[in-house]
Amino acid sequence: MSTVEGNESFCVGRRQFLLTGTGAVAATFLINVPGVRGLVEAAGVEYPKKKIGRISELKTDAPVAFAYPFNDIYSQNLLIKLGVPAWGGVGSGKDVVAFNTLCTHMGGILSNKYNAEHKVLGACPMHLSTFDLRRHGMIVGGHASQDLPQIVLEVKGDDIYAKGIIGLVFGKTDNLVKA
């Protein structure tokens, strides 16, 4: 720090200037790369609302399959009433959740792998990845490095609507709505 006529001023050294400037340029560049942009946007994306079930028709630990947001292989999901509160859960007990059924590691199919005793989806038939449905689909074992994508739910009366996805669905480079 140097002083000029009693006023304090901050002098940036060449190394600090280069490191700060290089970091800013790199961040600006990376955020505009399509694949990286998709990872940033994967934190949560809204899609058009779609009715996927009714609270009164759900039975505890009996998963219900539904397609959202599209009707492709990547859009296969399960709606589950866990019987215990869950992060992101809806309904009076905050125990109704929905998740995509493709393992985030290599796309193994998890649709018939719900374990009611532990409230997990898995183990994946490919490499044993397992996801805790009470904690936003958090990985609890296996080779996966990303949590299971959670479907954002909304309840109106007795109806359950899907309205978005938190996380990047396996096989997609981003979660942007495709026309």
Side-chain angles (χ1 to χ4, degrees):
M1 188 171 306
S2 66
T3 304
V4 178
E5 295 181 18
N7 294 328
E8 290 188 9
S9 63
F10 181 72
C11 293
V12 177
R14 183 174 35 188
R15 178 178 288 156
Q16 187 175 3
F17 174 78
L18 289 173
L19 289 174
T20 304
T22 303
V25 169
T28 302
F29 172 74
L30 284 176
I31 201 70
N32 289 310
V33 173
V36 174
R37 185 179 65 234
L39 293 175
V40 172
E41 292 164 344
V45 176
E46 282 192 30
Y47 288 95
K49 283 185 192 178
K50 178 181 178 182
K51 183 178 173 184
I52 58 169
R54 301 181 65 129
I55 293 281
S56 61
E57 295 174 354
L58 294 177
K59 306 290 183 226
T60 301
D61 294 323
V64 176
F66 68 97
Y68 180 80
F70 310 111
N71 286 321
D72 60 13
I73 191 166
Y74 305 106
S75 299
Q76 301 308 304
N77 311 290
L78 289 179
L79 176 66
I80 306 168
K81 179 177 176 57
L82 298 174
V84 296
W87 295 350
V90 298
S92 61
K94 302 294 182 201
D95 62 343
V96 177
V97 293
F99 289 89
N100 185 267
T101 59
L102 293 180
C103 178
T104 57
H105 178 236
M106 291 185 68
I109 298 172
L110 301 170
S111 56
N112 62 349
K113 300 290 183 182
Y114 175 64
N115 180 314
E117 179 183 358
H118 299 289
K119 309 300 183 194
V120 298
L121 205 52
C124 175
M126 297 176 108
H127 297 102
L128 306 178
S129 293
T130 305
F131 305 90
D132 189 338
L133 303 185
R134 296 167 298 172
R135 294 180 178 89
H136 287 302
M138 180 176 69
I139 305 159
V140 292
H143 292 286
S145 59
Q146 293 183 35
D147 297 341
L148 203 58
Q150 185 168 12
I151 309 304
V152 179
L153 302 176
E154 180 179 288
V155 174
K156 286 191 176 181
D158 193 39
D159 296 330
I160 305 168
Y161 294 87
K163 67 176 195 172
I165 299 175
I166 299 172
L168 187 61
V169 174
F170 179 84
K172 299 287 189 179
T173 57
D174 60 43
N175 281 346
L176 299 177
V177 176
K178 305 290 189 249

